[in-house]
């Protein structure tokens, strides 16, 4: 079956630094979504990428979809304490109705 | 306010008992989903329903059952057949703009 892997599993970041988390699918995707789950909370939708090579920005967050539509990345610049949480990618295969979630990257920020 | 509600937030049950988790949405979404999240893990799909009176098994359906008698409601029953039921259970519905998942606040089930 389809697998979605995320690395790293944990990311300790000094406040103000940048970091990137990566998402890799075993199969080609029709689209990929990113979610953020704050500690003790539930996942909240951030963004969807559909086109090959697509890049989208949300303030300090930059999302990229790979050319082969099998991988994606989330880059956060100038990390803040509000960025703490777990970031999940979720991929959907063509004509599929299910999202397959990656294991998440848990981000901890050191002030 | 539109959204998804799950109750209760915390639930404790004795081993061998069935328990039903509630999920209600007033977003007028057709599709609804149940996920399980274990500590430090991702989300795994248990069951989903694309329309009233229809549902399909997800990746880890064994030991669970669902019903979808109303568009607004998608309850999940954790049966005694589920070997490791202690987990965080998240209900979601599918949005129409991006087919994104709108999640409820979750129910943390502990089986003693």
């Amino acid at each position: 079956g389809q697998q979605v892997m995320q690395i790293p599993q944990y990311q300790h970041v000094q406040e103000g630094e940048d970091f990137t988390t990566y998402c890799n699918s075993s199969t080609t995707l029709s689209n990929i979504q990113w979610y953020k789950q704050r500690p003790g909370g539930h996942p909240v939708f951030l963004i969807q990428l559909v086109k090959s090579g697509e890049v989208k920005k949300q303030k300090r967050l930059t999302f990229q979809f790979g050319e082969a539509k099998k991988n994606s990345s989330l880059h956060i610049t100038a990390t803040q304490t509000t960025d703490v949480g777990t970031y999940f990618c979720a991929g959907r295969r063509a004509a599929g109705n299910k999202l397959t979630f990656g294991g998440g990257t848990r981000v901890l920020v050191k002030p | 306010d539109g959204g998804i509600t799950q109750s209760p937030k915390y639930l404790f049950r004795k081993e061998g008992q069935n328990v039903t988790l509630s999920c209600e949405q007033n977003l007028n979404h057709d599709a609804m989903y149940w996920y399980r999240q274990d500590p430090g893990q991702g989300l795994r799909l248990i069951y989903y329903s694309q329309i009233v009176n229809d549902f399909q098994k997800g990746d880890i359906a064994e030991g669970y059952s669902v019903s979808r008698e109303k568009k607004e409601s998608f309850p999940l029953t954790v049966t005694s057949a589920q070997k490791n039921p202690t987990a965080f259970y998240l209900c979601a519905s599918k949005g129409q703009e991006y087919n994104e998942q709108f999640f409820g606040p979750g129910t943390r089930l502990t089986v003693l």
Side-chain angles (χ1 to χ4, degrees):
Chain A
Q2 181 187 8
Q3 290 187 332
V4 177
M5 308 292 290
Q6 278 186 260
I7 53 171
Q9 189 174 1
Y10 297 94
Q11 181 83 51
H12 290 80
V13 189
Q14 189 72 45
E15 191 173 13
E17 290 185 344
D18 302 352
F19 78 89
T20 303
T21 176
Y22 300 90
C23 177
N24 296 291
S25 170
S26 59
T27 59
T28 302
L29 302 170
S30 66
N31 59 67
I32 196 158
Q33 298 180 349
W34 285 88
Y35 293 78
K36 178 182 178 181
Q37 183 177 25
R38 294 183 186 276
H42 57 276
V44 174
F45 173 74
L46 294 177
I47 208 160
Q48 175 171 275
L49 304 169
V50 178
K51 299 176 184 176
S52 170
E54 187 171 15
V55 178
K56 287 188 175 181
K57 291 189 177 184
Q58 285 183 350
K59 297 182 181 178
R60 295 178 294 101
L61 277 61
T62 301
F63 303 84
Q64 187 166 6
F65 203 6
E67 294 290 339
K69 301 184 74 173
K70 293 182 72 174
N71 56 70
S72 181
S73 64
L74 160 59
H75 181 79
I76 300 182
T77 58
T79 306
Q80 299 177 358
T81 55
T82 53
D83 295 323
V84 165
T86 302
Y87 294 82
F88 293 99
C89 64
R92 180 177 278 119
R93 289 195 288 190
N97 226 332
K98 297 187 301 180
L99 280 172
T100 299
F101 281 81
T105 293
R106 187 173 175 186
V107 176
L108 302 169
V109 179
K110 295 178 283 188
Chain B
D1 285 339
I4 299 181
T5 57
Q6 290 185 246
S7 60
K9 188 172 183 179
Y10 298 96
L11 190 56
F12 296 88
R13 278 295 182 269
K14 291 183 179 179
E15 196 172 338
Q17 289 182 332
N18 291 356
V19 59
T20 297
L21 310 184
S22 164
C23 177
E24 303 280 331
Q25 56 104 354
N26 60 4
L27 299 168
N28 200 33
H29 291 165
D30 287 317
M32 297 185 73
Y33 304 78
W34 274 104
Y35 293 91
R36 170 183 172 139
Q37 185 176 31
D38 293 285
Q41 303 293 314
L43 284 71
R44 293 184 290 169
L45 182 65
I46 304 172
Y47 266 97
Y48 64 104
S49 167
Q50 296 184 55
I51 200 166
V52 175
N53 293 322
D54 180 66
F55 49 83
Q56 288 85 39
K57 292 181 179 179
D59 300 318
I60 55 165
E62 186 175 350
Y64 299 97
S65 66
V66 293
S67 63
R68 188 83 187 279
E69 297 176 1
K70 298 187 300 181
K71 188 175 185 178
E72 301 79 17
S73 178
F74 190 38
L76 172 75
T77 297
V78 184
T79 75
S80 57
Q82 167 52 230
K83 300 299 181 192
N84 298 296
T86 295
F88 187 45
Y89 290 88
L90 287 158
C91 179
S93 64
K94 188 171 74 172
Q96 282 135 8
E97 185 172 4
Y98 299 106
N99 290 335
E100 71 275 34
Q101 305 279 277
F102 283 85
F103 286 92
T107 292
R108 197 167 297 277
L109 173 65
T110 302
V111 175
L112 306 170

